[in-house]
Amino acid sequence: IRDRTLNRPSVRLPSVMDFQAEGLAVSIRSLPLLRGRVQLRTLDVEGPRVRIPLAGPASPPPAEKKAETAPAPKDPIARIIDTIDAVAGRAVVEIRDGRLELLAEDGVLAAWEALTLTYSAAAGQMKLQADAASPTFGRLTVDLSADPDALEMRGEAKLSDLDLPQLFARLLPSAPVSATEGSLGVGIRLNAPKPGDFDLHLSAEVPTLALERDGRILPVGALALEAAIHHQPGTWKVDLEALRSAQPLLGLSGSAVGEQATGWRVELASQPIEIAPLRTLALAWGGDLPVVATLFEILRAGQLYDLSVRTSAGSLQGLTKLEQISAGVRVAAAKVHIPATDLEATQIAGRID
């Protein structure tokens, strides 16, 4: 059955999705229809508008019932592949000139225009490509492939030219910090070779950024992030390969490991840090905060290196408890002011734990 066309179709699923389109052309495979099953051959959608609310109505509390063994949750990658397979199957899907909107309680939170999407499945492989643009959330590109039988998925997604001032205003309207300048680029690569096992690599880059707090501007230059997330059944590992900036000069790396049997362990380390420029920025930016003012009233100049932070706990929430955190740093050629005596000491060296 070929080329059945619907003009201005619409589908509304309350709290889930609102779909409208200028036109929709569909062809259906004949043999499955004789067995009572509808199976798409092609789906061609012109000018769709999809609106997705990010928060639905609150669900009533579940009724009490006898304790029972819950089934093991299905791997998220397998759920994604199953959903795509159930919706599109072996059809060829093309979407042109679409619009995707994410809705918050007070209106449209994010929108992408000029959405194009192609999907096809042949020889046991699913392929999906998408491209869209937003004045606030930048250009979005997606390229995914999956094997529905082996439940294997790989691909990448990129967001480029996100407008940080608008992003702060939309997502963090009441935050004490705002962005007055800057753009963000984000890249994500996924490799999931089998159920329960996947690697996710994240990269982000901010060429220039200006943050404002109480009328004070903090310039940040060449901020970059490289990180990876690895998951195997029962184990999570997050590698912070690099978090660095050229202004202020900063370099951090570290890792976090979570295991069902032992809980979480976190380790962070930094590259050498010059105290004087860091002190100037910290006092200009957060000098009204007691902890900042006290710290840099003592530390005046020199170098910090081998800065390390370690913590462990049975849960993610426990990682922030002070009693679980151990930290240490080496200082070299430090200039220190002792407020109680109004004395200064220079050429201080050693390790603080």
mmCIF file of all heavy atoms in Angstrom, residues 208-231:
data_model
loop_
_atom_site.group_PDB
_atom_site.id
_atom_site.type_symbol
_atom_site.label_atom_id
_atom_site.label_comp_id
_atom_site.label_asym_id
_atom_site.label_seq_id
_atom_site.Cartn_x
_atom_site.Cartn_y
_atom_site.Cartn_z
ATOM 1 N N THR A 208 35.929 32.028 24.828
ATOM 2 C CA THR A 208 35.966 33.177 25.736
ATOM 3 C C THR A 208 34.675 33.188 26.549
ATOM 4 O O THR A 208 33.612 32.774 26.073
ATOM 5 C CB THR A 208 36.080 34.513 24.972
ATOM 6 O OG1 THR A 208 34.961 34.644 24.082
ATOM 7 C CG2 THR A 208 37.376 34.578 24.181
ATOM 8 N N LEU A 209 34.787 33.675 27.795
ATOM 9 C CA LEU A 209 33.639 33.710 28.688
ATOM 10 C C LEU A 209 33.808 34.867 29.657
ATOM 11 O O LEU A 209 34.910 35.099 30.171
ATOM 12 C CB LEU A 209 33.524 32.389 29.454
ATOM 13 C CG LEU A 209 32.474 32.311 30.571
ATOM 14 C CD1 LEU A 209 31.072 32.447 29.986
ATOM 15 C CD2 LEU A 209 32.613 30.988 31.321
ATOM 16 N N ALA A 210 32.731 35.595 29.895
ATOM 17 C CA ALA A 210 32.728 36.649 30.905
ATOM 18 C C ALA A 210 31.577 36.380 31.859
ATOM 19 O O ALA A 210 30.415 36.328 31.441
ATOM 20 C CB ALA A 210 32.583 38.020 30.255
ATOM 21 N N LEU A 211 31.906 36.167 33.141
ATOM 22 C CA LEU A 211 30.904 35.928 34.170
ATOM 23 C C LEU A 211 30.760 37.181 35.026
ATOM 24 O O LEU A 211 31.730 37.884 35.299
ATOM 25 C CB LEU A 211 31.321 34.747 35.056
ATOM 26 C CG LEU A 211 31.456 33.392 34.352
ATOM 27 C CD1 LEU A 211 32.002 32.349 35.311
ATOM 28 C CD2 LEU A 211 30.121 32.930 33.781
ATOM 29 N N GLU A 212 29.538 37.442 35.472
ATOM 30 C CA GLU A 212 29.274 38.631 36.281
ATOM 31 C C GLU A 212 28.633 38.238 37.601
ATOM 32 O O GLU A 212 27.733 37.392 37.645
ATOM 33 C CB GLU A 212 28.348 39.601 35.537
ATOM 34 C CG GLU A 212 28.049 40.867 36.337
ATOM 35 C CD GLU A 212 27.128 41.816 35.603
ATOM 36 O OE1 GLU A 212 26.705 41.462 34.483
ATOM 37 O OE2 GLU A 212 26.835 42.895 36.149
ATOM 38 N N ARG A 213 29.123 38.842 38.677
ATOM 39 C CA ARG A 213 28.540 38.636 40.000
ATOM 40 C C ARG A 213 28.577 39.959 40.750
ATOM 41 O O ARG A 213 29.654 40.516 40.985
ATOM 42 C CB ARG A 213 29.312 37.573 40.784
ATOM 43 C CG ARG A 213 28.764 37.326 42.185
ATOM 44 C CD ARG A 213 29.527 36.219 42.872
ATOM 45 N NE ARG A 213 29.037 36.015 44.221
ATOM 46 C CZ ARG A 213 29.521 36.633 45.295
ATOM 47 N NH1 ARG A 213 30.527 37.484 45.161
ATOM 48 N NH2 ARG A 213 29.006 36.409 46.486
ATOM 49 N N ASP A 214 27.406 40.485 41.104
ATOM 50 C CA ASP A 214 27.304 41.762 41.820
ATOM 51 C C ASP A 214 28.081 42.870 41.126
ATOM 52 O O ASP A 214 28.787 43.665 41.766
ATOM 53 C CB ASP A 214 27.800 41.604 43.262
ATOM 54 C CG ASP A 214 26.930 40.660 44.080
ATOM 55 O OD1 ASP A 214 25.737 40.534 43.745
ATOM 56 O OD2 ASP A 214 27.445 40.056 45.036
ATOM 57 N N GLY A 215 27.978 42.916 39.791
ATOM 58 C CA GLY A 215 28.629 43.969 39.040
ATOM 59 C C GLY A 215 30.098 43.744 38.763
ATOM 60 O O GLY A 215 30.732 44.559 38.079
ATOM 61 N N ARG A 216 30.675 42.657 39.268
ATOM 62 C CA ARG A 216 32.080 42.358 39.035
ATOM 63 C C ARG A 216 32.191 41.325 37.922
ATOM 64 O O ARG A 216 31.458 40.335 37.906
ATOM 65 C CB ARG A 216 32.749 41.840 40.317
ATOM 66 C CG ARG A 216 32.790 42.874 41.435
ATOM 67 C CD ARG A 216 33.593 42.360 42.617
ATOM 68 N NE ARG A 216 32.935 41.250 43.286
ATOM 69 C CZ ARG A 216 32.076 41.395 44.285
ATOM 70 N NH1 ARG A 216 31.774 42.595 44.718
ATOM 71 N NH2 ARG A 216 31.527 40.358 44.862
ATOM 72 N N ILE A 217 33.117 41.560 37.009
ATOM 73 C CA ILE A 217 33.289 40.712 35.833
ATOM 74 C C ILE A 217 34.506 39.810 36.029
ATOM 75 O O ILE A 217 35.579 40.273 36.412
ATOM 76 C CB ILE A 217 33.471 41.541 34.557
ATOM 77 C CG1 ILE A 217 32.241 42.438 34.328
ATOM 78 C CG2 ILE A 217 33.697 40.642 33.349
ATOM 79 C CD1 ILE A 217 30.965 41.670 34.071
ATOM 80 N N LEU A 218 34.326 38.525 35.760
ATOM 81 C CA LEU A 218 35.430 37.568 35.768
ATOM 82 C C LEU A 218 35.628 37.061 34.346
ATOM 83 O O LEU A 218 34.782 36.340 33.814
ATOM 84 C CB LEU A 218 35.134 36.385 36.691
ATOM 85 C CG LEU A 218 36.146 35.231 36.634
ATOM 86 C CD1 LEU A 218 37.509 35.696 37.107
ATOM 87 C CD2 LEU A 218 35.667 34.040 37.446
ATOM 88 N N PRO A 219 36.739 37.445 33.694
ATOM 89 C CA PRO A 219 37.006 36.918 32.356
ATOM 90 C C PRO A 219 37.643 35.538 32.435
ATOM 91 O O PRO A 219 38.523 35.286 33.257
ATOM 92 C CB PRO A 219 37.976 37.942 31.763
ATOM 93 C CG PRO A 219 38.696 38.495 32.946
ATOM 94 C CD PRO A 219 37.738 38.453 34.098
ATOM 95 N N VAL A 220 37.188 34.639 31.595
ATOM 96 C CA VAL A 220 37.736 33.283 31.522
ATOM 97 C C VAL A 220 38.126 33.032 30.075
ATOM 98 O O VAL A 220 37.341 33.288 29.159
ATOM 99 C CB VAL A 220 36.714 32.227 31.986
ATOM 100 C CG1 VAL A 220 37.306 30.826 31.875
ATOM 101 C CG2 VAL A 220 36.270 32.499 33.417
ATOM 102 N N GLY A 221 39.352 32.541 29.848
ATOM 103 C CA GLY A 221 39.819 32.317 28.490
ATOM 104 C C GLY A 221 40.184 30.882 28.214
ATOM 105 O O GLY A 221 40.790 30.211 29.054
ATOM 106 N N ALA A 222 39.784 30.390 27.052
ATOM 107 C CA ALA A 222 40.151 29.052 26.566
ATOM 108 C C ALA A 222 39.822 27.966 27.587
ATOM 109 O O ALA A 222 40.666 27.161 27.962
ATOM 110 C CB ALA A 222 41.633 29.014 26.193
ATOM 111 N N LEU A 223 38.564 27.927 28.018
ATOM 112 C CA LEU A 223 38.103 26.890 28.945
ATOM 113 C C LEU A 223 37.770 25.627 28.152
ATOM 114 O O LEU A 223 37.063 25.699 27.147
ATOM 115 C CB LEU A 223 36.879 27.377 29.701
ATOM 116 C CG LEU A 223 36.250 26.435 30.733
ATOM 117 C CD1 LEU A 223 37.231 26.172 31.870
ATOM 118 C CD2 LEU A 223 34.950 27.024 31.264
ATOM 119 N N ALA A 224 38.297 24.488 28.587
ATOM 120 C CA ALA A 224 38.078 23.235 27.849
ATOM 121 C C ALA A 224 37.917 22.075 28.820
ATOM 122 O O ALA A 224 38.526 22.060 29.898
ATOM 123 C CB ALA A 224 39.234 22.960 26.892
ATOM 124 N N LEU A 225 37.104 21.116 28.424
ATOM 125 C CA LEU A 225 36.832 19.923 29.239
ATOM 126 C C LEU A 225 36.934 18.688 28.371
ATOM 127 O O LEU A 225 36.417 18.658 27.257
ATOM 128 C CB LEU A 225 35.428 20.005 29.847
ATOM 129 C CG LEU A 225 34.869 18.722 30.479
ATOM 130 C CD1 LEU A 225 35.609 18.418 31.788
ATOM 131 C CD2 LEU A 225 33.376 18.841 30.736
ATOM 132 N N GLU A 226 37.612 17.666 28.886
ATOM 133 C CA GLU A 226 37.638 16.339 28.266
ATOM 134 C C GLU A 226 37.345 15.323 29.363
ATOM 135 O O GLU A 226 38.045 15.284 30.389
ATOM 136 C CB GLU A 226 39.005 16.038 27.642
ATOM 137 C CG GLU A 226 39.394 16.947 26.491
ATOM 138 C CD GLU A 226 38.634 16.646 25.217
ATOM 139 O OE1 GLU A 226 38.092 15.520 25.107
ATOM 140 O OE2 GLU A 226 38.571 17.529 24.351
ATOM 141 N N ALA A 227 36.311 14.516 29.178
ATOM 142 C CA ALA A 227 35.930 13.537 30.194
ATOM 143 C C ALA A 227 35.365 12.297 29.527
ATOM 144 O O ALA A 227 34.926 12.332 28.373
ATOM 145 C CB ALA A 227 34.915 14.130 31.165
ATOM 146 N N ALA A 228 35.381 11.196 30.257
ATOM 147 C CA ALA A 228 34.852 9.929 29.743
ATOM 148 C C ALA A 228 34.096 9.213 30.852
ATOM 149 O O ALA A 228 34.492 9.269 32.020
ATOM 150 C CB ALA A 228 35.981 9.046 29.214
ATOM 151 N N ILE A 229 33.011 8.570 30.466
ATOM 152 C CA ILE A 229 32.210 7.764 31.398
ATOM 153 C C ILE A 229 32.207 6.333 30.885
ATOM 154 O O ILE A 229 31.881 6.081 29.728
ATOM 155 C CB ILE A 229 30.772 8.300 31.493
ATOM 156 C CG1 ILE A 229 30.771 9.757 31.979
ATOM 157 C CG2 ILE A 229 29.931 7.429 32.425
ATOM 158 C CD1 ILE A 229 29.403 10.406 31.941
ATOM 159 N N HIS A 230 32.579 5.407 31.755
ATOM 160 C CA HIS A 230 32.601 3.982 31.401
ATOM 161 C C HIS A 230 31.626 3.249 32.321
ATOM 162 O O HIS A 230 31.620 3.462 33.538
ATOM 163 C CB HIS A 230 34.006 3.394 31.583
ATOM 164 C CG HIS A 230 35.099 4.249 31.010
ATOM 165 N ND1 HIS A 230 35.423 4.250 29.673
ATOM 166 C CD2 HIS A 230 35.936 5.146 31.595
ATOM 167 C CE1 HIS A 230 36.410 5.092 29.459
ATOM 168 N NE2 HIS A 230 36.741 5.656 30.608
ATOM 169 N N HIS A 231 30.823 2.385 31.734
ATOM 170 C CA HIS A 231 29.876 1.610 32.543
ATOM 171 C C HIS A 231 29.945 0.147 32.162
ATOM 172 O O HIS A 231 29.927 -0.220 30.989
ATOM 173 C CB HIS A 231 28.443 2.105 32.332
ATOM 174 C CG HIS A 231 27.432 1.307 33.097
ATOM 175 N ND1 HIS A 231 26.723 0.271 32.543
ATOM 176 C CD2 HIS A 231 27.039 1.373 34.391
ATOM 177 C CE1 HIS A 231 25.927 -0.266 33.449
ATOM 178 N NE2 HIS A 231 26.087 0.393 34.577
#
